[in-house]
Amino acid sequence: MTWRHGKERSCSADLAGARVARHATASLAGLVAERGMSRKDLAERMGVSPGRVSQILSGDENLTLRSLVAVAEALDVRMEISFFEDRQPAPELRESMETMEARPLAPSHG
């Protein structure tokens, strides 16, 4: 593996990680709202400051499993992590497919 390939994978992993973090924090924020709780209420149940809850729910920080589990326990929900095969084409292939889809078809003469 060349240095460039390693850097591309790292960037891809960073983007995927950010996407998962946004999904997790949106799910948690939804659960908090469904329960009619404020961030202060959640902070009290977790034994942390409201500022810490804001950090967790903002999605801006690198979430740890411990912080996610702490929120899940405070909300009385179960947390699961699943791994599955990604059925999406590789980014390079996806890009060329999108380009082909965006290009109008030439009229047929026949």
Side-chain angles (χ1 to χ4, degrees), residues 23-96:
H23 179 74
T25 55
S27 294
L28 291 172
L31 288 169
V32 171
E34 282 176 14
R35 285 163 173 69
M37 295 174 69
S38 68
R39 290 181 178 202
K40 183 180 179 194
D41 296 332
L42 181 58
E44 287 173 3
R45 288 180 107 177
M46 292 175 64
V48 298
S49 71
R52 178 66 183 132
V53 169
S54 289
Q55 286 177 333
I56 293 168
L57 295 181
S58 73
D60 290 337
E61 77 163 40
N62 188 5
L63 297 171
T64 65
L65 291 176
R66 285 188 178 103
S67 60
L68 291 173
V69 168
V71 175
E73 286 179 352
L75 294 172
D76 292 324
V77 296
R78 185 183 69 186
M79 187 182 93
E80 270 185 17
I81 297 175
S82 300
F83 294 91
F84 50 92
E85 286 191 48
D86 187 7
R87 301 285 182 198
Q88 296 293 320
E92 307 81 42
L93 181 58
R94 194 169 42 243
E95 203 172 281
S96 80

